Amino acid sequence: MAFPYNNIPFVSLFLVLFSAILVPLLKREGQALALVRVVQLMVAGLSALLLALLWQSGESFPFVLGHIPAPWGNELRAGPLEALLSLAFSLVMVLSMTGGAADLRTDLRPEAQGRFCLLMQLLFASLLAMVYTNDLFTAYVFIEIAAVTACIAAAAKETGRAVAAATRYLIFSCLGSGLVLLGIALLYCVTGHLLMEDLGRSIVQLAQSGQYTVPLTVSALVMTMGLAIKSAQFPFHGWLPDAHASATTAASAILSGLVLKGYLVLLLKLIVRVFGPELLVGVYMHDLLFLLGLVGMLFSSVAALRQEDVKKMIAYSSSAQISYIFLALGLGIRAGTAAACFQILAHAVTKPMIFVGAGALIRAGRGEHYWSSLRGAAWREPVGGVAFTVGGLSLCGLPLLAGFSSKYSLAVAALSAGWRTMPALFGLAVSSVLNAMYYIPAILVIWGQGAGERLSVQKGHWELNLSVVFFLGCNVLLGVLVGPILALIYQGLELL
């Protein structure tokens, strides 16, 4: 690996954190938003370059921060999968900030907009760190940064509803963080390591010798539960609907599309790189993940079906889509892990598009969040209507879109999962029907009576158009190129 390229993960983190320092120094309105979007595009470009190089070379590499070895120092690791996730997260970040810019200007005071951009950059840095980290200490530090910034972002509108929702979010997040920290402490006490490869080797030796079975089991359980709470997996999803419903559009899109995925990427690393299949099968962890995913994808969909608030319906839908990832990880086979990675990508590009479209529709409905006030809103804001419609149909499983390819890859993986095959296929079928039962009526409502009543073009309308066009492109790209993308994911998993 040539010298400049193995610095890309560190340079990406540095650019994002340095831009966060610069944001408070910008006084003119709009400068902070412009700066963070430029930096996010730069990180996307660096990630694309890194992905091309690593895909071609078929290798991964570590990067020791400060050249101090672990466990005292911090280490990053980059491979094709990390580069792909970094590229996807960067693109979704800039598209969410662009698509939600109009609401950002109306929902937040001018002096608060810069602080919101600062929070988003810190949150973005946390997501990149969770993608690239190779040690649990760095992972936990950025888990906490992500938790604090996400909670403050949820309360950025400064309404009573937003503050109450963010407080509830913070309580659940602290509980999840505490469980993760407890698991890390147990692992460090038993193995003396924080670096993931060293932890994995030590755990394999301990599992084979039969030593420390209870501490290893407890650590795997509490860390999984902690990350499940933070990623809003059923039945720990109670904080999610209010937090998303009360946040500004950009925050809702990023919280749903990216923040929840950051914790799942870390869970994926723990499963593949730290605990390993032998320990997880021995303590029935795969069965727990499978059960959480199967029950969550059904109950969360039923909850979404009952919602009259558009953002709450989308939030419950996010919990159901997160359950697909848990179900895929619970299959206990490499094809299931690859399907989970594809679902992370598919949901990351679909749900923010839906939130951006919903934000535009709510503006067209004079700020009302309820379906009764959004009849015909898509005719008054057609770009938002298209975003919501295509995103909803994607999650329902319309062919050539990302949601269909994700369900297809999960169904194919389930066919090789032994006794889990029939429950998984049943859950996928029922969940898809439930998805259609709440998204299709919603689409009919927004395109219903009300044609001909069009609002005047708002400031920042071009930003919504640009964001939706690129979101649509990403969605179709994932839907059409499922084969090459899965091949890249398999290559990344081999090097993870």
Side-chain angles (χ1 to χ4, degrees):
M1 181 65 60
F3 171 75
Y5 305 123
N6 61 4
N7 290 279
I8 286 178
F10 169 75
V11 171
S12 299
L13 280 166
F14 177 81
L15 284 174
V16 176
L17 291 173
F18 185 69
S19 66
I21 296 173
L22 294 180
V23 163
L25 304 179
L26 303 176
K27 302 301 181 182
R28 294 181 59 183
E29 184 178 355
Q31 286 183 331
L33 182 59
L35 173 65
V36 299
R37 291 195 294 203
V38 168
V39 171
Q40 289 159 5
L41 283 174
M42 291 174 63
V43 173
L46 289 172
S47 301
L49 174 61
L50 183 62
L51 175 61
L53 293 168
L54 294 179
W55 193 3
Q56 183 179 19
S57 64
E59 61 182 77
S60 61
F61 63 88
F63 185 93
V64 180
L65 296 175
H67 302 286
I68 301 173
W72 302 280
N74 310 115
E75 185 171 298
L76 305 177
R77 187 173 187 84
L81 181 58
E82 289 91 343
L84 177 62
L85 290 170
S86 176
L87 173 60
F89 285 11
S90 304
L91 290 175
V92 173
M93 194 80 188
V94 68
L95 292 177
S96 298
M97 292 292 288
T98 301
D103 283 337
L104 187 64
R105 297 185 183 100
T106 57
D107 292 341
L108 275 62
R109 294 178 289 108
E111 60 271 21
Q113 294 171 19
R115 292 197 295 270
F116 182 83
C117 292
L118 166 62
L119 290 172
M120 290 300 100
Q121 288 302 83
L122 292 176
L123 186 55
F124 185 31
S126 301
L127 294 170
L128 290 177
M130 283 187 267
V131 166
Y132 284 122
T133 186
N134 196 37
D135 70 273
L136 293 186
F137 176 78
T138 303
Y140 180 73
V141 169
F142 282 97
I143 281 175
E144 288 298 275
I145 294 174
V148 173
T149 52
C151 290
I152 299 175
K157 290 174 69 172
E158 300 181 47
T159 62
R161 181 185 179 189
V163 173
T167 302
R168 191 179 185 188
Y169 184 2
L170 182 61
I171 293 170
F172 275 85
S173 187
C174 288
L175 175 60
S177 298
L179 291 174
V180 173
L181 181 59
L182 178 59
I184 293 174
L186 284 172
L187 287 179
Y188 185 68
C189 289
V190 171
T191 66
H193 295 292
L194 291 172
L195 198 64
M196 291 185 182
E197 280 84 357
D198 294 339
L199 274 168
R201 285 192 292 268
S202 296
I203 288 173
V204 168
Q205 294 172 0
L206 292 173
Q208 291 174 348
S209 66
Q211 294 178 293
Y212 297 108
T213 303
V214 173
L216 291 177
T217 302
V218 172
S219 65
L221 177 63
V222 297
M223 292 183 76
T224 300
M225 289 299 98
L227 293 172
I229 292 171
K230 297 181 77 66
S231 59
Q233 170 59 36
F234 178 90
F236 313 113
H237 65 305
W239 57 268
L240 184 69
D242 288 335
H244 286 188
S246 59
T248 189
T249 297
S252 296
I254 292 168
L255 290 174
S256 178
L258 296 183
V259 176
L260 303 182
K261 309 305 181 306
Y263 303 126
L264 293 173
V265 169
L266 189 56
L267 177 61
L268 174 68
K269 288 187 175 186
L270 290 174
I271 291 173
V272 175
R273 196 183 291 178
V274 176
F275 292 114
E278 294 84 2
L279 176 66
L280 294 177
V281 170
V283 300
Y284 303 102
M285 186 60 68
H286 283 131
D287 294 335
L288 175 61
L289 293 172
F290 184 81
L291 180 62
L292 286 174
L294 183 62
V295 175
M297 64 199 295
L298 300 178
F299 276 81
S300 297
S301 295
V302 171
L305 188 62
R306 300 167 57 189
Q307 299 305 309
E308 292 295 327
D309 186 310
V310 55
K311 281 195 170 185
K312 283 190 175 182
M313 187 201 80
I314 302 171
Y316 277 112
S317 172
S318 291
S319 181
Q321 296 295 316
I322 292 297
S323 298
Y324 282 57
I325 301 171
F326 275 77
L327 181 79
L329 293 174
L331 294 177
I333 56 177
R334 184 52 60 97
T337 307
C341 294
F342 195 93
Q343 172 65 4
I344 288 175
L345 295 173
H347 190 253
V349 302
T350 303
K351 192 51 66 72
M353 178 172 67
I354 295 177
F355 268 114
V356 167
L361 294 173
I362 290 170
R363 289 199 306 275
R366 277 76 176 181
E368 293 294 331
H369 285 227
Y370 295 95
W371 293 116
S372 58
S373 303
L374 295 179
R375 182 168 297 277
W379 294 104
R380 302 192 295 272
E381 186 55 87
V383 176
V386 169
F388 186 91
T389 300
V390 175
L393 293 176
S394 176
L395 295 184
C396 292
L398 185 70
L400 302 182
L401 296 177
F404 171 80
S405 297
S406 177
K407 292 174 188 284
Y408 171 78
S409 63
L410 181 52
V412 170
L415 293 176
S416 304
W419 67 266
R420 297 178 177 88
T421 296
M422 291 308 298
L425 294 179
F426 172 79
L428 275 173
V430 175
S431 178
S432 298
V433 171
L434 291 173
N435 289 341
M437 287 176 65
Y438 56 83
Y439 270 116
I440 291 180
I443 292 169
L444 294 177
V445 167
I446 64 174
W447 292 103
Q449 295 179 357
E453 183 186 355
R454 182 179 290 272
L455 295 181
S456 59
V457 176
Q458 303 177 22
K459 179 183 178 182
H461 201 78
W462 67 269
E463 294 169 310
L464 172 67
N465 297 346
L466 184 65
S467 173
V468 170
V469 166
F470 277 95
F471 268 132
L472 291 173
C474 291
N475 211 282
V476 173
L477 190 68
L478 284 175
V480 173
L481 300 180
V482 57
I485 293 172
L486 278 175
L488 176 58
I489 289 173
Y490 276 111
Q491 183 190 46
L493 288 174
E494 291 297 325
L495 299 169
L496 191 61

